[in-house]
PDB file of all heavy atoms in Angstrom:
ATOM      1  N   LYS A  59       1.502  27.608 -13.983  1.00 95.00           N
ATOM      2  CA  LYS A  59       0.154  27.959 -13.531  1.00 95.00           C
ATOM      3  C   LYS A  59      -0.643  26.667 -13.395  1.00 95.00           C
ATOM      4  O   LYS A  59      -0.855  25.960 -14.376  1.00 95.00           O
ATOM      5  CB  LYS A  59      -0.503  28.911 -14.523  1.00 95.00           C
ATOM      6  CG  LYS A  59       0.266  30.223 -14.693  1.00 95.00           C
ATOM      7  CD  LYS A  59      -0.358  31.114 -15.746  1.00 95.00           C
ATOM      8  CE  LYS A  59       0.447  32.408 -15.910  1.00 95.00           C
ATOM      9  NZ  LYS A  59      -0.138  33.285 -16.953  1.00 95.00           N
ATOM     10  N   LEU A  60      -1.060  26.368 -12.148  1.00 97.00           N
ATOM     11  CA  LEU A  60      -1.673  25.077 -11.848  1.00 97.00           C
ATOM     12  C   LEU A  60      -3.097  25.276 -11.329  1.00 97.00           C
ATOM     13  O   LEU A  60      -3.294  25.827 -10.244  1.00 97.00           O
ATOM     14  CB  LEU A  60      -0.844  24.335 -10.801  1.00 97.00           C
ATOM     15  CG  LEU A  60       0.652  24.165 -11.118  1.00 97.00           C
ATOM     16  CD1 LEU A  60       1.373  23.563  -9.923  1.00 97.00           C
ATOM     17  CD2 LEU A  60       0.837  23.294 -12.354  1.00 97.00           C
ATOM     18  N   PRO A  61      -4.113  24.828 -12.076  1.00 97.00           N
ATOM     19  CA  PRO A  61      -5.492  24.891 -11.578  1.00 97.00           C
ATOM     20  C   PRO A  61      -5.684  23.920 -10.410  1.00 97.00           C
ATOM     21  O   PRO A  61      -5.155  22.809 -10.429  1.00 97.00           O
ATOM     22  CB  PRO A  61      -6.323  24.447 -12.793  1.00 97.00           C
ATOM     23  CG  PRO A  61      -5.406  24.616 -13.975  1.00 97.00           C
ATOM     24  CD  PRO A  61      -4.026  24.348 -13.463  1.00 97.00           C
ATOM     25  N   ILE A  62      -6.429  24.356  -9.409  1.00 97.00           N
ATOM     26  CA  ILE A  62      -6.691  23.543  -8.221  1.00 97.00           C
ATOM     27  C   ILE A  62      -8.183  23.227  -8.158  1.00 97.00           C
ATOM     28  O   ILE A  62      -9.025  24.135  -8.256  1.00 97.00           O
ATOM     29  CB  ILE A  62      -6.264  24.264  -6.931  1.00 97.00           C
ATOM     30  CG1 ILE A  62      -4.807  24.737  -7.042  1.00 97.00           C
ATOM     31  CG2 ILE A  62      -6.458  23.361  -5.727  1.00 97.00           C
ATOM     32  CD1 ILE A  62      -3.795  23.629  -7.197  1.00 97.00           C
ATOM     33  N   GLN A  63      -8.508  21.939  -8.010  1.00 96.00           N
ATOM     34  CA  GLN A  63      -9.899  21.516  -7.948  1.00 96.00           C
ATOM     35  C   GLN A  63     -10.146  20.659  -6.714  1.00 96.00           C
ATOM     36  O   GLN A  63      -9.239  20.006  -6.199  1.00 96.00           O
ATOM     37  CB  GLN A  63     -10.271  20.698  -9.193  1.00 96.00           C
ATOM     38  CG  GLN A  63     -10.240  21.458 -10.491  1.00 96.00           C
ATOM     39  CD  GLN A  63     -10.687  20.592 -11.664  1.00 96.00           C
ATOM     40  OE1 GLN A  63     -10.880  19.380 -11.511  1.00 96.00           O
ATOM     41  NE2 GLN A  63     -10.860  21.207 -12.815  1.00 96.00           N
ATOM     42  N   LEU A  64     -11.397  20.654  -6.270  1.00 93.00           N
ATOM     43  CA  LEU A  64     -11.821  19.706  -5.261  1.00 93.00           C
ATOM     44  C   LEU A  64     -12.018  18.349  -5.930  1.00 93.00           C
ATOM     45  O   LEU A  64     -12.065  18.249  -7.165  1.00 93.00           O
ATOM     46  CB  LEU A  64     -13.124  20.172  -4.611  1.00 93.00           C
ATOM     47  CG  LEU A  64     -13.093  21.555  -3.939  1.00 93.00           C
ATOM     48  CD1 LEU A  64     -14.480  21.904  -3.412  1.00 93.00           C
ATOM     49  CD2 LEU A  64     -12.075  21.576  -2.818  1.00 93.00           C
ATOM     50  N   LEU A  65     -12.126  17.299  -5.137  1.00 90.00           N
ATOM     51  CA  LEU A  65     -12.336  15.969  -5.716  1.00 90.00           C
ATOM     52  C   LEU A  65     -13.651  15.889  -6.479  1.00 90.00           C
ATOM     53  O   LEU A  65     -13.804  15.064  -7.384  1.00 90.00           O
ATOM     54  CB  LEU A  65     -12.304  14.910  -4.609  1.00 90.00           C
ATOM     55  CG  LEU A  65     -10.947  14.679  -3.937  1.00 90.00           C
ATOM     56  CD1 LEU A  65     -11.067  13.610  -2.864  1.00 90.00           C
ATOM     57  CD2 LEU A  65      -9.885  14.276  -4.960  1.00 90.00           C
ATOM     58  N   SER A  66     -14.578  16.765  -6.140  1.00 91.00           N
ATOM     59  CA  SER A  66     -15.867  16.813  -6.835  1.00 91.00           C
ATOM     60  C   SER A  66     -15.743  17.391  -8.233  1.00 91.00           C
ATOM     61  O   SER A  66     -16.664  17.292  -9.042  1.00 91.00           O
ATOM     62  CB  SER A  66     -16.861  17.642  -6.028  1.00 91.00           C
ATOM     63  OG  SER A  66     -16.421  19.001  -5.943  1.00 91.00           O
ATOM     64  N   GLY A  67     -14.603  18.014  -8.520  1.00 91.00           N
ATOM     65  CA  GLY A  67     -14.404  18.667  -9.805  1.00 91.00           C
ATOM     66  C   GLY A  67     -14.621  20.162  -9.762  1.00 91.00           C
ATOM     67  O   GLY A  67     -14.309  20.869 -10.728  1.00 91.00           O
ATOM     68  N   ALA A  68     -15.148  20.660  -8.657  1.00 93.00           N
ATOM     69  CA  ALA A  68     -15.365  22.101  -8.523  1.00 93.00           C
ATOM     70  C   ALA A  68     -14.018  22.814  -8.453  1.00 93.00           C
ATOM     71  O   ALA A  68     -13.118  22.381  -7.733  1.00 93.00           O
ATOM     72  CB  ALA A  68     -16.177  22.402  -7.264  1.00 93.00           C
ATOM     73  N   GLU A  69     -13.896  23.899  -9.222  1.00 94.00           N
ATOM     74  CA  GLU A  69     -12.627  24.616  -9.272  1.00 94.00           C
ATOM     75  C   GLU A  69     -12.484  25.525  -8.053  1.00 94.00           C
ATOM     76  O   GLU A  69     -13.380  26.292  -7.710  1.00 94.00           O
ATOM     77  CB  GLU A  69     -12.518  25.436 -10.546  1.00 94.00           C
ATOM     78  CG  GLU A  69     -11.156  26.079 -10.720  1.00 94.00           C
ATOM     79  CD  GLU A  69     -10.928  26.650 -12.108  1.00 94.00           C
ATOM     80  OE1 GLU A  69     -11.650  26.248 -13.041  1.00 94.00           O
ATOM     81  OE2 GLU A  69     -10.030  27.497 -12.251  1.00 94.00           O
ATOM     82  N   LEU A  70     -11.332  25.414  -7.402  1.00 93.00           N
ATOM     83  CA  LEU A  70     -11.049  26.215  -6.219  1.00 93.00           C
ATOM     84  C   LEU A  70     -10.296  27.488  -6.570  1.00 93.00           C
ATOM     85  O   LEU A  70     -10.435  28.518  -5.923  1.00 93.00           O
ATOM     86  CB  LEU A  70     -10.236  25.386  -5.222  1.00 93.00           C
ATOM     87  CG  LEU A  70      -9.999  25.968  -3.838  1.00 93.00           C
ATOM     88  CD1 LEU A  70     -11.328  26.127  -3.104  1.00 93.00           C
ATOM     89  CD2 LEU A  70      -9.069  25.071  -3.038  1.00 93.00           C
TER      90      LEU A  70
END
Side-chain angles (χ1 to χ4, degrees):
K59 300 176 181 179
L60 307 173
I62 307 297
Q63 295 183 352
L64 302 177
L65 292 180
S66 64
E69 186 168 341
L70 188 64

